[in-house]
Amino acid sequence: MVYLETKPDYETCIERIEAWFHGSVIDRAPVRFHRHNAEYDSVLTNSGHATLEQRWMDAEFQARTFLQSVKGQLFLGETFPVYMPNLGPNFYAAVHGAELTFGEVTSWCEPMVRTESDIDQIRFDRNNRYYKCMHELTRAALEICEGHFLVGYTDLHPGMDCVAAWRGTENLCMDMMLNPSFVKRLIEKSTEHFVEIYDDFHTILQQAGQPSVTWMNIPVPGGRMHIPSNDFSFMISPEQFREFALPVLKDEIKTMTHNVFHVDGKGVANHTDDILDAGIRAIQWVQGMADDYPIMQHIPYIKYLQSRGASVIVDLDKRDLDAFMQEVRPEGIFLWIATENRQEEQDIMNRLLKWK
C-alpha cells in the first residue's frame, strides 16, 4: 500500500481511476486539477548551473527541486504528485544517437539521418549519456520520494514521432511519397528496443514499490501504463496511417495493461476509428487553442468516443463545467480543470457528485 502525506486518499482515487478505465463511475467522475501543458509555463531561474544542459541533467537538483515543490501541499481529486524524470520529448530518439539541445522548458534534437546510408548511425546504446542520465534522475528521485511523491518513467515515443525527430518533419513528409520503403525501415528501427527500454525503467520502479505512471500522472498499481501517440499523423491520410502507423501502434500496446492514446487535435482525431480498432480503450482529447475553444463544439466527438466504449480525458475550462455536465454523461469521463485555490477545487468535486 502506498502512503503519501500529500495524498492521503490515494487508494480511493486509484479506485476511481480504475473505474474510469472501465467506463464506469464509483461516486463521481475523476478530476485532475491541472491544465494540459501547464508544466511548460514554469521556468527555473537562478539554479547556479553554467548551462541549461547541466541543469536538466543534474539528477539531485531536479529531484530535490520537485520535492520542495510538493512538500506541505495537499493534492485534491485525482491529482497525484508524480515526478517524471525528463529530458524532453525526444529522449527516445536521443538514446539511439541523436543529440539534444536544451531550452528553458523543453528540448529538441536536430535531424541525424540526412541520407539512406545514415540509417546505420541509429543504434540504441545503454551507455548513451542521456540513457545513463535517465537512470540517475530516476534513482535520485526514488531515494527521497517516500511519503511525499510518486516516481514515474519518462516519456517514450517510438514510431513516426521518433522517425520525424531523426529525419526532420519536412523530409519525412517527402519520404512517405517518394521512398516509403525507407520510412518503413526507419519505423522498424524506432521500435526494435521499445519494450526493452520500457521494461528497464518499469522494473526499477516496480522493485521500488512504485505504480506504473508517466507524464499523464495516472498511476496504475501492479500494471503497465503507457501513453502511445503519433502527433505527426495530423499530416497524413487515413490510408497512410493504416500503412505506416497502425502496425506499430498494435505492437506498441500489446504488452501493456493500460493505454491512453494522446490525440493532439483534430488532425490526429481523423484516425480515431483506426486507433480504437487497434485496441485502444482510453483517449486523451486535446482540442487545441484559439478557434478550437470552447470545448462545447467538440461534444459530438466526445460522445462518439463514449459510444465506441472509449474512456476520455477532457481538458475543461471551469466556466464550462455546468454546460458540459448537462450535455455529456459522466461514465468514462476524466476531467482536467485548471483552478486557482483549494476551495474552488472542493466546490468542483461537490458539483461532480451530482453529475448523473
Side-chain angles (χ1 to χ4, degrees):
M1 180 177 293
V2 173
Y3 171 74
L4 298 171
E5 63 183 23
T6 52
K7 188 69 182 157
D9 58 346
Y10 173 85
E11 298 294 339
T12 302
C13 293
I14 290 294
E15 291 175 8
R16 290 194 189 99
I17 294 288
E18 193 61 30
W20 168 75
F21 269 115
H22 291 90
S24 61
V25 175
I26 296 176
D27 55 348
R28 61 164 174 79
V31 56
R32 181 185 178 198
F33 295 113
H34 179 89
R35 178 175 54 79
H36 178 64
N37 282 343
E39 58 270 23
Y40 295 110
D41 292 340
S42 59
V43 176
L44 291 172
T45 58
N46 301 321
S47 68
H49 294 89
T51 66
L52 289 171
E53 179 174 316
Q54 287 179 9
R55 191 184 75 192
W56 277 79
M57 299 181 74
D58 186 336
E60 184 175 350
F61 169 79
Q62 294 293 344
R64 294 202 173 276
T65 297
F66 186 82
L67 175 60
Q68 291 303 314
S69 75
V70 301
K71 247 184 176 179
Q73 289 199 48
L74 187 65
F75 290 83
L76 298 185
E78 284 58 56
T79 315
F80 297 89
V82 178
Y83 173 78
M84 184 194 79
N86 181 34
L87 292 176
N90 290 148
F91 163 77
Y92 187 88
V95 301
H96 289 78
E99 284 293 323
L100 293 176
T101 299
F102 293 93
E104 283 286 352
V105 296
T106 191
S107 67
W108 57 93
C109 62
E110 295 298 324
M112 62 179 287
V113 179
R114 303 291 182 181
T115 67
E116 284 195 60
S117 62
D118 291 337
I119 197 170
D120 295 331
Q121 297 180 34
I122 301 172
R123 294 190 186 90
F124 168 59
D125 182 5
R126 285 180 171 272
N127 291 315
N128 175 284
R129 67 192 186 100
Y130 302 121
Y131 200 73
K132 291 171 72 173
C133 179
M134 191 58 66
H135 273 267
E136 293 168 4
L137 289 164
T138 303
R139 295 194 184 281
L142 287 172
E143 288 177 4
I144 63 173
C145 71
E146 188 172 359
H148 304 294
F149 60 88
L150 305 175
V151 179
Y153 68 93
T154 198
D155 196 8
L156 298 176
H157 290 291
M160 297 192 76
D161 286 343
C162 177
V163 172
W166 287 339
R167 184 76 175 111
T169 300
E170 291 183 9
N171 289 331
L172 180 55
C173 287
M174 294 297 293
D175 292 338
M176 293 187 72
M177 300 300 295
L178 303 176
N179 198 349
S181 63
F182 177 44
V183 174
K184 290 178 181 178
R185 287 176 63 202
L186 287 169
I187 291 173
E188 184 178 357
K189 276 276 190 179
S190 80
T191 58
E192 281 179 357
H193 298 281
F194 168 67
V195 174
E196 177 186 349
I197 292 170
Y198 180 97
D199 283 349
D200 191 9
F201 293 102
H202 177 74
T203 299
I204 292 170
L205 296 170
Q206 192 176 50
Q207 290 175 346
Q210 296 292 318
S212 184
V213 60
T214 185
W215 68 266
M216 233 175 247
N217 288 30
I218 301 176
V220 174
R224 293 167 63 88
M225 170 67 175
H226 179 50
I227 303 172
S229 62
N230 190 333
D231 291 356
F232 178 84
S233 67
F234 85 93
M235 291 185 284
I236 63 177
S237 68
E239 292 75 21
Q240 288 172 316
F241 186 88
R242 293 179 198 122
E243 180 179 359
F244 294 95
L246 198 55
V248 176
L249 176 60
K250 290 178 179 178
D251 285 343
E252 192 176 335
I253 68 176
K254 66 184 180 183
T255 68
M256 307 299 164
T257 62
H258 298 69
N259 294 281
V260 182
F261 195 97
H262 169 69
V263 175
D264 200 344
K266 291 180 287 189
V268 181
N270 289 332
H271 311 297
T272 294
D273 285 331
D274 288 317
I275 290 167
L276 296 179
D277 290 344
I280 293 292
R281 290 293 170 263
I283 295 287
Q284 182 201 25
W285 167 238
V286 182
Q287 69 260 30
M289 304 293 289
D291 291 343
D292 286 326
Y293 278 91
I295 188 66
M296 303 307 291
Q297 66 185 295
H298 303 295
I299 293 295
Y301 178 66
I302 294 167
K303 286 184 174 180
Y304 177 71
L305 290 172
Q306 287 181 303
S307 75
R308 289 290 311 269
S311 300
V312 192
I313 295 171
V314 180
D315 192 23
L316 189 69
D317 189 303
K318 60 191 176 186
R319 295 169 294 185
D320 295 327
L321 178 58
D322 289 336
F324 185 85
M325 290 192 297
Q326 289 176 5
E327 292 289 333
V328 179
R329 59 183 175 84
E331 289 80 11
I333 298 293
F334 188 162
L335 298 177
W336 285 17
I337 302 178
T339 52
E340 300 296 330
N341 54 60
R342 191 171 297 171
Q343 181 56 51
E344 201 169 63
E345 294 173 0
Q346 188 61 60
D347 174 66
I348 288 171
M349 289 190 293
N350 291 338
R351 290 156 68 187
L352 291 177
L353 288 170
K354 301 174 184 178
W355 186 18
K356 304 297 181 184

